[in-house]
Amino acid sequence: MKKILPPSSSSGANSGGSGGGIGGNSFLASLISSFASPRSNTPSRPSPFASSSGRGTPVPVKHESSVDKVDLKKLVADQRKIVEGSVLLSVFTAEAKVKLDEKMEVELERATKKRAPPTVKVGLIYTGKDEYDASEKEEIEGNEGSKDVGSVFLGLRADLEGNNSSRVYIGHATGQTTGISGHMSARFIPTVERESIDLVDRNVSVWNVELLHIGGYLSRIAYETEMAAIARLYSAALQTSSSALSGPDENLVTWLQSRCLHALKFFTFRPSTPSPEVSRIMQSAFFSGSEIFSIFSTSGVKPASEVRIRNPEMDKFVKSLPVLPKEIQDGAMDVIGLLQGRNMIRQITFDDIIWEMRQRCFEEDEMIECLKWRVGLPRQAAFDIHFKEQFVGAGVFRIIEKQEGKEKQEEKLVPLASIRTFINPSGLVPPDGPFPTSTLPLRFSTTKGLPTASFTELFGWGVFSINDWVIFLSSKPPAESPTPDQDITLSPIFAERVLAAIAKGWANISKANQEDIVRRLSPLTCIPTQLGLKLSTDAYFPAAHVFQDLPMVTFPSTNALSGRTKLPTETLLEALGVRKHVDLQVVFNRMIKTGDWTIPQLVKYLAGVRDTLTKEEVERLRQTTAFTKEESSLEQKGGPDTTDSKSVVSAAGTSTSAAPVPRRLRYKIGVLYEPTDAMRQLGLPLLDWGNNPKWRTNSDEAKFLFFLGLQRYPPLQELL
């Protein structure tokens, strides 16, 4: 039964011995009376109106020099001033029936000279958080009077500081403290001196111990009543529309936390004096009264068995699991320690983390902190294997990506079970990707305290290699199609980045992986040229510069074919099938059918790509009738019609009607002679070289023609 009693309701006082009845009002009245009229020979709080010796006889006071300066008139006026103050207390009363065997009844009657009552009442004063704060505020408030009478109610208020001012009452205050922050009253049997309760006599101690147990149970009821009130307020706050998603107001939560902390401090069992057994017995009854111990957590009032002790390392990712607020855990360490020692509350376990991960989708920052916690655990082979399956299977986190050109951010849910690779920040793959959702985002690899080596060791994830990147870019599922600026077949700039990244590490890539990269990129139009992105087999190196309308490799932002990057880039492009020279058939078509090329242009180009020509191509050049001879003046003046206006095929592949092209006879290179004056005077068939550029015997073009079979000197038979 709980009673809220204002001070005015407790005007009477029952200061009788242990044989007097003790109800709620009589307990409070006797308690107040003990402060106003203390008994002699007791260490209880003296009345402010009594002398320091407790006998009413004035004791000479030794005055210091500073006392002489006191304004006596003002002091007398202050003492006569009437001030008002109040304190609000809650009195919990328990009533129990008494059943004794005959022997015990006789022994108690012998000890107390009275028969045991049929019922007993135990009273407990509890001061709530708000009442305690209000009383404390009155005590320290200026000169309005509350401060002057603060000491009158000081002993009634809760003793949260642990000054052992909370006493056991037997109709009057005894010297025995309760160990908690509130006074307790019951029909305890005191010692002969009536200064403490008797816990020595074999029979009397049984009676007193039972009453102490009731006091412990009553304390637990008072505590659980306060927790129930807090729970109702928290639940009511959750019902409001504003708290449905965001939770109760922070100010309300802070206030409820302070109420719980106040109750925990109030029922912190400190060593009682002079007998420590009083608080020990009450504490035992307090915790054994019920297996369900309520306490305020981050999710409201919960049984302590469902609440976990806060771990600062997990605060950043443990949100759903009920844990102790920092203020309660730090402010009530004694009670929390007792609960932990009795296995009524425990630390956060691995199973709790798995539960947390299954309850909700983590944000990216939360998953990073969760992985940091996991990586920081000691290594245990058997445990790591068992925990890996549960941990990876339960985790899901959210990635929010902001794409260019879009107002809304794209949100992706990534299960940990789908992760296969992680990004190496110093690897070949550019950190800005793009990457498949099966790859852990870059932030996980660059976070301090999260070594990437542990990803492989604990979870079996591998490094996202350049081969993985090529596979992703060349065979994209529809759900992971990149934006146009990240498509290797649409963006020349992005294609350049991809080729540059591959070329950088080409020499260190295994032959099997090189072949796989070539196989995947060759069918794609991913080679940047001045005519756009082309297939590798349709593109040419810049050395093949004779036909300006041919697609030559041209990187849009950098010149990757010069400087340090030239060799690795050329090696990669050559492996992909980029042509170092124009196909001979194309050359012949351009020169013979369209007349685009002159002999010097043809030879200059062939000399430039001489090292890339195969034996078959060299032999074909020797056997092809592609070279004209110089015409004599007579041949230039006239002769039969030597024009041809047949249609030719343009570079674009369409048939067009070409202008009439002079039709001249062409010869194999081996039947023609070097175009020198000496050969010209002999009337030999000379290579039609022209005067622009001028023929030079020691030039690269001349040497190449000699290599093909151009004759320098006529044989003797020809001369004769």
Side-chain angles (χ1 to χ4, degrees), residues 39-43 54-55 193 195:
R39 299 170 60 90
S40 61
N41 301 324
T42 64
R55 297 179 180 178
E193 297 83 5
E195 294 299 317

Side-chain angles (χ1 to χ4, degrees), residues 380 411 495 555 631 698:
Q380 297 179 11
E411 181 179 297
F555 290 104
E631 295 180 345
N698 293 327

Side-chain angles (χ1 to χ4, degrees), residues 252-264:
L252 174 65
V253 172
T254 301
W255 176 59
L256 296 179
Q257 284 181 3
S258 65
R259 285 188 61 172
C260 177
L261 178 59
H262 175 85
L264 288 170

Side-chain angles (χ1 to χ4, degrees), residues 308-328:
R308 300 294 179 261
I309 294 177
R310 172 180 170 270
N311 187 333
E313 295 180 358
M314 304 178 188
D315 281 351
K316 294 182 179 180
F317 64 90
V318 174
K319 306 295 183 182
S320 299
L321 184 71
V323 297
L324 288 176
K326 182 178 185 302
E327 295 76 11
I328 292 179

Side-chain angles (χ1 to χ4, degrees), residues 491-497 527-529 533 553-560:
S491 172
I493 295 177
F494 183 69
E496 176 188 353
R497 287 181 54 221
I527 306 300
T529 70
L533 292 168
V553 176
T554 306
F555 290 104
S557 59
T558 61
N559 189 1

Side-chain angles (χ1 to χ4, degrees), residues 590-640:
R590 293 286 182 106
M591 184 176 65
I592 297 173
K593 294 183 179 181
T594 67
D596 288 346
W597 273 10
T598 63
I599 295 298
Q601 290 175 325
L602 169 65
V603 176
K604 181 180 179 181
Y605 169 72
L606 294 175
V609 297
R610 176 179 178 177
D611 294 337
T612 66
L613 296 175
T614 63
K615 292 181 180 180
E616 292 76 11
E617 290 175 327
V618 171
E619 186 61 28
R620 184 180 178 189
L621 285 173
R622 289 171 176 164
Q623 300 301 324
T624 301
T625 55
F627 303 92
T628 59
K629 71 173 184 175
E630 283 188 0
E631 295 180 345
S632 63
S633 58
L634 179 61
E635 291 173 328
Q636 293 177 359
K637 287 181 180 179

Side-chain angles (χ1 to χ4, degrees), residues 212-512:
L212 290 175
H213 275 102
I214 297 174
Y217 298 145
L218 186 59
S219 299
R220 180 64 177 275
I221 292 173
Y223 173 81
E224 293 294 343
T225 301
E226 179 68 4
M227 291 300 103
I230 295 174
R232 286 193 298 271
L233 292 172
Y234 189 88
S235 298
L238 285 178
Q239 302 302 320
T240 62
S241 57
S242 60
S243 302
L245 297 177
S246 60
D249 180 71
E250 291 185 4
N251 294 330
L252 174 65
V253 172
T254 301
W255 176 59
L256 296 179
Q257 284 181 3
S258 65
R259 285 188 61 172
C260 177
L261 178 59
H262 175 85
L264 288 170
K265 286 183 176 181
F266 191 97
F267 293 108
T268 296
F269 289 85
R270 304 175 182 88
S272 57
T273 58
S275 173
E277 287 296 301
V278 171
S279 62
R280 186 191 65 78
I281 295 171
M282 289 180 61
Q283 176 182 286
S284 176
F286 180 84
F287 286 106
S288 62
S290 173
E291 295 181 357
I292 300 177
F293 187 92
S294 302
I295 196 167
F296 193 84
S297 70
T298 53
S299 300
V301 176
K302 298 283 185 181
S305 58
E306 298 178 9
V307 180
R308 300 294 179 261
I309 294 177
R310 172 180 170 270
N311 187 333
E313 295 180 358
M314 304 178 188
D315 281 351
K316 294 182 179 180
F317 64 90
V318 174
K319 306 295 183 182
S320 299
L321 184 71
V323 297
L324 288 176
K326 182 178 185 302
E327 295 76 11
I328 292 179
Q329 184 164 320
D330 295 343
M333 298 177 62
D334 293 339
V335 178
I336 302 303
L338 287 172
L339 290 173
Q340 191 174 4
R342 292 172 174 268
N343 293 323
M344 300 177 76
I345 193 171
R346 50 196 174 97
Q347 300 280 355
I348 299 177
T349 64
F350 305 114
D351 291 337
D352 294 329
I353 298 299
I354 298 300
W355 181 89
E356 174 80 19
M357 296 175 74
R358 287 173 177 165
Q359 290 300 304
R360 62 188 183 88
C361 176
F362 280 25
E363 299 299 331
E364 189 173 354
D365 291 339
E366 294 174 339
M367 185 56 71
I368 288 175
E369 294 299 326
C370 185
L371 289 179
K372 286 174 64 176
W373 164 79
R374 176 64 189 96
V375 168
L377 296 178
R379 299 290 185 269
Q380 297 179 11
F383 170 76
D384 290 345
I385 295 175
H386 170 71
F387 189 56
K388 169 192 169 183
E389 297 178 359
Q390 297 186 59
F391 186 86
V392 172
V396 178
F397 64 97
R398 180 185 293 104
I399 298 177
I400 299 178
E401 298 177 347
K402 185 176 182 180
Q403 298 185 357
E404 296 182 2
K406 294 184 178 180
E407 296 183 358
K408 293 184 178 180
Q409 296 178 336
E410 184 177 357
E411 181 179 297
K412 294 181 180 178
L413 299 183
V414 182
L416 276 185
S418 68
I419 299 297
R420 296 291 179 269
T421 54
F422 62 90
I423 301 170
N424 181 5
S426 59
L428 296 176
V429 182
D432 51 351
F435 299 98
T437 54
S438 61
T439 298
L440 207 61
L442 178 64
R443 286 188 59 198
F444 288 78
S445 301
T446 57
T447 299
K448 186 178 180 180
L450 195 56
T452 55
S454 60
F455 293 158
T456 302
E457 180 183 355
L458 293 176
F459 309 114
W461 300 333
V463 178
F464 188 77
S465 66
I466 194 72
N467 294 75
D468 297 325
W469 201 38
V470 172
I471 292 172
F472 170 66
L473 295 176
S474 60
S475 55
K476 304 176 289 294
E480 294 186 303
S481 295
T483 56
D485 61 339
Q486 292 182 328
D487 192 324
I488 194 173
T489 63
L490 297 177
S491 172
I493 295 177
F494 183 69
E496 176 188 353
R497 287 181 54 221
V498 174
L499 294 174
I502 299 173
K504 182 179 179 182
W506 186 255
N508 298 322
I509 299 175
S510 67
K511 184 177 180 180

